[in-house]
Amino acid sequence: MWRWFPRSEAVKDFPGEVVTVECLSLSQEDDSIGSWRWPQCPGRCCTASGDEMKNTEEKSDMNIASLVGREQLMQGRDEDQLPLNVSAFIEKEVGSDLKSLKKLGKLIEQMTENKMKLEEQVLTISSEIPKRIQSALKDAEESQQVLNQFLEQETPLFSSIISHLLTAQPWMDDLGAMINQIEEIEQHLTYLKWVSQIEELSDNIQQYLMTNNVPEAASILVTMTELDIKLQESSCTHLLSFMRATVKFWHKILKDKLTSDFEEILAQLHWPFITHTQSQTVGISLPASAPEVYATLETLFCQLLKLQASDELLTEPKQLPEKYSLPACPSVILPIQIMLTPLQKRFKYHFRGNRQTNVISKPEWYLAQVLMWIGNHAHFLDEKIQPILEKAGSAVNARLEFSRGLMMLILEKLASDIPCLLYDDNLFCHLVDEVLLFERELHSVHGYPSTFASCMHILSEETCFQRWLTVERKFALQKMDSMLSSEAAWVSQYKDITDVDEMKVPDCAEVFMTLLLVITDRYKNLPTAPRKLQFLELQKDLVDDFRIRLTQVMKEETRASLDFRYCAILNAVNYISTVLADWADNVFFLQLQQAALEVFAENNALSKLQLGQLASMESSVFDDMINLLERLKLDMLTRQVDHVFREVKDAAKLYKKERWLSLPSQSEQAVMSLSSSACPLLLTLRDRLLQLEQQLCFSLFRIFWQMLVEKLDVYIYQEIILANHFNEGGAAQLQFDMTRNLFPLFSHYCKRPENYFKHVKEACIVLNLNTGSALLLKDVLQSASEHLPATAALNEVGIYKLAQQDVEILLNLRTNWPNTGK
């Protein structure tokens, strides 16, 4: 609500100014000074000069007209509401009570006081605002004057600067030329200093060599090599060439001299050790000067180590093509290279060219030779060379460095031989077998790291690897054909050994899983995960192929689902599924699962749910195969259960027709005996249980008899008990047949077989309740309702499985009710 005050009361004359205020308003929520709205002042508040003042005045006139119009419009609207507002105010303060008129004096005083306060506030604000506006305009005018002064000064200053630059330009050109000359001279001086330093180092090496001080000469060469490395970023090609030529010159001289001396010392040590006996007798056959020989060996070895940097700088290491994806590694250290030289010559002599030892069908010859060389020299390298390296502060392992050098011979040989036998399955398979045996011994016996270049990198080359997969698949399928066609395919190798033959695994299944295990051993050392995953897919394909073959054989035996062969197939399926489930928890296959997860995530090959299951280890790499095998196992077990159940139903026909209404009571018989009509049923059941217990493994037989008992329990309850009426003798005979004859058949397989026949057991309880308990239970059931079930009463007599309606039906099957006259 707006409160309006008359112009004559709300506005006073300002000293020196005449201000016309049409209206003044306060917001209803806030009576503070900040809520007052003033129209634009049309009077003379301040003076301004030029166009800016004119524009300001025009804008002010427009704002005044707009504001005055809005104020008048609002005033017209609110004047219509004024009587109503006054009436509402008086009604609120006085009301209809005449006694409240006494408040009018105080109310008038309060309103007069508020009016005076508001007038004071208006006077204060009205006096301050024109002063602030006048001050701001004055500051703007002074700023404009200063700006005009700066603009007047800028023109002559700009002309002066241009004139000065034109005058100084010749001096700048001369000075720039002189600076360029100085820089060029400095570059020449630096260039000459480098040349002088190189020549000085070269002269020092020459002087040291003239005095036969090879260690110092080698140290100077190391310094020169470091300078060469530093100069690699320079654009002075001639200086670089001069430096490289100098390093190469002295490196060759020092290397030739040290190599010659080092080879002489090695010859005195009878290096290399071609036979194992020779490696064992080293040191024994040496003269008394052996300590001096080993001291010289150490000196020369250390001096050759100093040449390692320059040797790597000048010598291009031998590299196999990039398609083999060998791991990056430094070249073999120089002294070990020299020690390998005679062995490299022997290898090339025997296994290259037209020598009789170079037979492509005998890769085991050169593989065994290299293994023998590594073994023959291992002791000497560990005992004599490794201490020298440690003393020199090198982290190199002498034996592994030696093995790495010999391995390069093997890799080069394989790279040249494999293309020649790639399409001869027998030769290629033999080569792969020998390489895998070589790799196994190299890693396990000689401790060769898997991070170094190995034969597996050669076998992982795309063409070779695909051929390897093809050959593996071919020979695996041939092996599967032969194992399934064998006469002993379905017989367990350990059938006569009870402790070993718990799974009753047929020979074909065991041979097949051994085949898969061998394939795993063959590819587990491949250097990359994608290659391993391809082999894993091969294994899964083989499992699926074997499952299909088992299914085909099973379908041929379907009519004789209880025969030995059918059971052997079922044992095979169960064994394969169990082993695959165990493999799923193996560290190697868990690592493959993680690798597969990364590959699938990159290719978006699986849903987010499947990826999550793989990542959380809820599923495994063999889950698909295990699920298919479990489905086949359940199908085969169901066939067997159905077969036995049909036989049992046929044998139970006479038992179903037993005259349960006319059987004598228990008191009329001296001894209870089994119903003669139940004998065929129990004999059939016993014979089949014994037969399958011998033919199926324990876990399968347990599933079998539990499935059979479930069907048998429902059958006896529905087809025998619910289909007949029972007198006291009939109920007692049924309970005797079940609890003393049927249930004990399964006591060998579990402690409480009656718990698997819940329907039959509880039905016997209901039928054999004494008359009083039966009547009481019947009354309870009849009086029970949905809100008050008779569960407690049923549980009290031992009924937990059967529903209330079922118990009522069973009670109605009893005929031994007392005659109540109803």
Side-chain angles (χ1 to χ4, degrees):
M1 183 182 294
W2 299 91
R3 282 176 278 177
W4 296 88
F5 299 94
R7 180 171 51 191
S8 59
E9 295 178 2
V11 180
K12 298 293 184 181
D13 291 335
F14 291 91
E17 298 291 343
V18 177
V19 181
T20 302
V21 180
E22 296 296 332
C23 60
L24 187 64
S25 62
L26 270 175
S27 90
Q28 184 181 10
E29 293 78 15
D30 188 0
D31 291 338
S32 63
I33 298 301
S35 301
W36 292 89
R37 295 204 300 272
W38 287 87
Q40 183 72 30
C41 175
R44 59 181 189 284
C45 297
C46 58
T47 58
S49 61
D51 296 335
E52 294 182 359
M53 180 56 69
K54 183 179 180 181
N55 293 334
T56 304
E57 290 176 351
E58 291 175 356
K59 292 180 180 177
S60 298
D61 293 338
M62 294 174 64
N63 292 334
I64 290 167
S66 175
L67 288 171
V68 168
R70 283 201 299 268
E71 295 286 355
Q72 289 175 349
L73 180 60
M74 294 176 65
Q75 182 179 7
R77 291 177 181 175
D78 289 336
E79 282 178 353
D80 295 338
Q81 299 292 330
L82 184 58
L84 297 176
N85 294 337
V86 173
S87 175
F89 176 74
I90 293 174
E91 182 68 25
K92 178 181 178 184
E93 295 294 336
V94 178
S96 60
D97 188 5
L98 296 177
K99 294 180 181 181
S100 299
L101 293 174
K102 296 178 181 180
K103 299 179 182 178
L104 288 176
K106 185 183 291 186
L107 187 60
I108 292 170
E109 292 178 2
Q110 184 180 352
M111 297 300 293
T112 304
E113 185 180 350
N114 289 340
K115 172 188 171 187
M116 294 175 66
K117 290 181 179 179
L118 291 173
E119 287 176 350
E120 290 176 1
Q121 293 176 357
V122 170
L123 289 173
T124 303
I125 296 300
S126 299
S127 61
E128 289 181 357
I129 288 178
K131 292 179 181 179
R132 293 181 182 177
I133 295 174
Q134 188 174 5
S135 175
L137 290 174
K138 184 178 179 181
D139 292 341
E141 194 175 72
E142 291 175 355
S143 299
Q144 187 176 11
Q145 292 175 359
V146 173
L147 180 60
N148 291 332
Q149 291 175 3
F150 285 152
L151 290 174
E152 292 173 358
Q153 295 173 5
E154 184 263 346
T155 302
L157 183 60
F158 180 76
S159 301
S160 175
I161 292 173
I162 294 298
S163 175
H164 179 73
L165 290 175
L166 292 174
T167 305
Q169 187 61 43
W171 299 347
M172 293 292 294
D173 295 340
D174 295 341
L175 184 60
M178 293 177 66
I179 291 173
N180 292 335
Q181 290 177 2
I182 292 171
E183 290 178 350
E184 186 176 356
I185 293 171
E186 286 180 348
Q187 291 177 356
H188 292 167
L189 286 173
T190 304
Y191 192 95
L192 292 174
K193 285 180 181 178
W194 276 102
V195 173
S196 175
Q197 188 175 4
I198 296 169
E199 290 180 344
E200 182 180 354
L201 292 173
S202 180
D203 292 341
N204 291 337
I205 293 175
Q206 184 177 5
Q207 290 176 6
Y208 283 128
L209 288 178
M210 290 176 64
T211 58
N212 204 25
N213 192 347
V214 178
E216 290 297 328
S219 299
I220 299 295
L221 183 59
V222 171
T223 304
M224 190 180 293
T225 304
E226 293 173 353
L227 292 178
D228 190 336
I229 295 172
K230 289 180 181 179
L231 278 175
Q232 292 306 308
E233 297 179 358
S234 173
S235 59
C236 301
T237 55
H238 296 290
L239 180 62
L240 288 173
S241 300
F242 176 63
M243 170 65 87
R244 183 60 55 85
T246 306
V247 171
K248 186 175 183 180
F249 175 78
W250 290 118
H251 173 79
K252 184 178 184 308
I253 293 174
L254 285 171
K255 182 179 177 181
D256 290 346
K257 178 173 177 55
L258 290 174
T259 300
S260 176
D261 296 343
F262 193 60
E263 288 175 346
E264 289 181 7
I265 293 297
L266 291 175
Q268 294 181 30
L269 295 172
H270 308 293
W271 182 274
F273 311 139
I274 304 304
T275 63
H276 182 68
T277 306
Q278 186 180 359
S279 66
Q280 294 295 321
T281 58
V282 64
I284 299 177
S285 59
L286 290 178
S289 59
E292 296 179 2
V293 173
Y294 285 120
T296 306
L297 174 71
E298 180 178 352
T299 302
L300 294 172
F301 195 96
C302 292
Q303 291 172 4
L304 285 168
L305 270 181
K306 292 181 178 180
L307 302 184
Q308 181 65 29
S310 57
D311 191 71
E312 292 178 355
L313 191 66
L314 299 171
T315 307
E316 287 284 338
K318 288 185 178 180
Q319 293 288 345
L320 289 174
E322 292 183 1
K323 64 180 181 178
Y324 296 111
S325 302
L326 296 180
C329 57
S331 57
V332 178
I333 59 175
L334 185 57
I336 297 294
Q337 289 183 31
I338 298 171
M339 297 173 74
L340 286 168
T341 301
L343 295 175
Q344 291 170 344
K345 291 180 179 178
R346 286 175 175 272
F347 188 91
K348 292 177 180 179
Y349 177 82
H350 288 291
F351 305 114
R352 292 294 178 95
N354 298 323
R355 298 291 172 182
Q356 293 181 351
T357 48
N358 183 26
V359 182
I360 198 170
S361 61
K362 298 292 183 181
E364 61 269 25
W365 287 359
Y366 60 83
L367 295 172
Q369 183 66 71
V370 168
L371 287 174
M372 186 178 69
W373 284 345
I374 293 174
N376 290 347
H377 297 89
H379 179 75
F380 178 81
L381 292 168
D382 290 339
E383 296 295 325
K384 303 300 180 182
I385 303 301
Q386 189 60 41
I388 299 174
L389 287 168
E390 293 173 356
K391 190 175 180 180
S394 175
V396 174
N397 184 295
R399 181 151 52 90
L400 293 182
E401 197 76 354
F402 184 79
S403 301
R404 192 159 66 90
L406 290 177
M407 177 58 74
M408 288 306 298
L409 296 174
I410 297 291
L411 300 184
E412 292 171 0
K413 176 67 175 171
L414 287 175
S416 63
D417 283 1
I418 286 179
C420 301
L421 48 81
L422 199 58
Y423 298 101
D424 188 319
D425 290 348
N426 293 322
L427 289 181
F428 182 77
C429 189
H430 177 64
L431 172 68
V432 172
D433 291 340
E434 292 299 330
V435 166
L436 293 174
L437 290 173
F438 168 79
E439 283 281 321
R440 182 180 304 171
E441 184 173 349
L442 186 67
H443 291 289
S444 60
V445 177
H446 301 291
Y448 191 79
S450 58
T451 54
F452 285 5
S454 67
C455 301
M456 302 306 286
H457 289 89
I458 304 298
L459 295 181
S460 296
E461 187 271 324
E462 182 64 27
T463 305
C464 179
F465 184 77
Q466 294 303 326
R467 186 61 185 163
W468 184 11
L469 279 177
T470 303
V471 172
E472 286 286 348
R473 185 187 301 274
K474 174 184 176 181
F475 282 100
L477 293 176
Q478 290 179 357
K479 184 69 175 177
M480 288 163 58
D481 291 336
S482 64
M483 71 175 74
L484 288 173
S485 60
S486 170
E487 294 181 358
W490 308 108
V491 179
S492 173
Q493 297 179 5
Y494 313 104
K495 62 180 180 180
D496 299 327
I497 308 175
T498 307
D499 296 339
V500 180
D501 197 34
E502 288 183 358
M503 297 287 289
K504 294 182 171 60
V505 186
D507 185 61
C508 63
E510 187 161 1
V511 173
F512 175 71
M513 294 312 293
T514 303
L515 173 65
L516 290 184
L517 187 62
V518 169
I519 292 176
T520 303
D521 289 337
R522 289 162 73 84
Y523 78 82
K524 69 188 304 181
N525 289 322
L526 284 170
T528 60
R531 295 303 192 201
K532 294 177 184 178
L533 289 175
Q534 287 180 270
F535 257 104
L536 178 63
E537 288 301 317
L538 169 63
Q539 287 180 303
K540 292 165 70 173
D541 290 345
L542 292 176
V543 171
D544 196 47
D545 188 274
F546 193 71
R547 177 190 63 83
I548 293 172
R549 292 170 187 243
L550 290 178
T551 304
Q552 292 171 346
V553 178
M554 179 269 293
K555 289 180 178 179
E556 296 174 0
E557 303 292 328
T558 301
R559 294 184 180 179
S561 59
L562 302 183
D563 286 356
F564 172 77
R565 190 169 183 178
Y566 189 94
C567 293
I569 297 170
L570 184 53
N571 286 329
V573 172
N574 179 67
Y575 174 70
I576 296 171
S577 176
T578 304
V579 173
L580 290 180
D582 291 340
W583 283 3
D585 296 328
N586 184 278
V587 175
F588 174 71
F589 289 108
L590 290 175
Q591 292 172 344
L592 282 187
Q593 180 173 342
Q594 181 62 31
L597 177 64
E598 295 173 0
V599 172
F600 292 148
E602 290 177 1
N603 300 333
N604 294 322
L606 294 179
S607 66
K608 291 184 178 180
L609 175 61
Q610 292 172 317
L611 288 174
Q613 290 174 341
L614 277 175
S616 61
M617 302 300 174
E618 293 181 8
S619 60
S620 69
V621 291
F622 295 112
D623 267 8
D624 294 341
M625 297 298 102
I626 293 174
N627 292 336
L628 290 172
L629 290 168
E630 287 296 318
R631 190 183 305 169
L632 176 60
K633 180 175 76 174
L634 182 61
D635 179 61
M636 295 181 70
L637 278 171
T638 303
R639 290 173 185 269
Q640 288 187 323
V641 171
D642 291 343
H643 185 96
V644 174
F645 185 64
R646 284 195 300 270
E647 291 185 352
V648 171
K649 285 198 298 183
D650 291 341
K653 288 180 180 179
L654 291 176
Y655 194 63
K656 284 177 62 178
K657 298 177 182 179
E658 186 70 48
R659 301 182 63 185
W660 302 104
L661 280 171
S662 58
L663 292 179
S665 65
Q666 189 174 359
S667 60
E668 297 175 0
Q669 302 182 51
V671 179
M672 291 285 291
S673 61
L674 175 67
S675 299
S676 59
S677 59
C679 291
L681 162 68
L682 296 177
L683 286 174
T684 301
L685 194 58
R686 183 202 65 181
D687 293 343
R688 291 310 186 190
L689 287 173
L690 289 175
Q691 177 187 352
L692 291 173
E693 183 182 13
Q694 294 175 353
Q695 294 180 353
L696 294 178
C697 70
F698 175 76
S699 60
L700 285 175
F701 180 69
R702 182 177 62 221
I703 299 172
F704 166 79
W705 73 257
Q706 289 178 358
M707 292 173 63
L708 179 62
V709 163
E710 184 178 356
K711 295 174 72 70
L712 194 59
D713 177 43
V714 174
Y715 172 75
I716 294 175
Y717 175 70
Q718 293 180 348
E719 301 295 331
I720 296 179
I721 297 176
L722 294 182
N724 292 282
H725 286 75
F726 298 85
N727 65 358
E728 182 181 354
Q733 185 63 48
L734 175 69
Q735 186 174 33
F736 181 82
D737 292 344
M738 298 295 105
T739 58
R740 301 292 296 275
N741 294 279
L742 176 62
F743 296 170
L745 281 179
F746 297 90
S747 60
H748 181 63
Y749 315 126
C750 62
K751 291 182 179 180
R752 300 180 65 85
E754 64 272 13
N755 289 337
Y756 292 91
F757 290 92
K758 292 183 178 179
H759 290 90
V760 174
K761 182 184 74 170
E762 294 183 2
C764 289
I765 291 174
V766 174
L767 294 175
N768 285 277
L769 283 175
N770 60 56
T771 305
S773 299
L775 285 171
L776 181 60
L777 180 60
K778 193 171 186 180
D779 290 340
V780 171
L781 294 177
Q782 289 176 351
S783 61
S785 63
E786 294 182 2
H787 302 290
L788 293 173
T791 306
L794 293 175
N795 293 346
E796 187 176 348
V797 298
I799 308 300
Y800 298 94
K801 176 72 174 178
L802 296 178
Q804 180 177 323
Q805 295 81 355
D806 296 333
V807 175
E808 291 178 350
I809 293 172
L810 289 169
L811 289 173
N812 292 329
L813 296 178
R814 293 169 59 114
T815 60
N816 56 332
W817 296 108
N819 187 4
T820 60
K822 295 182 181 180

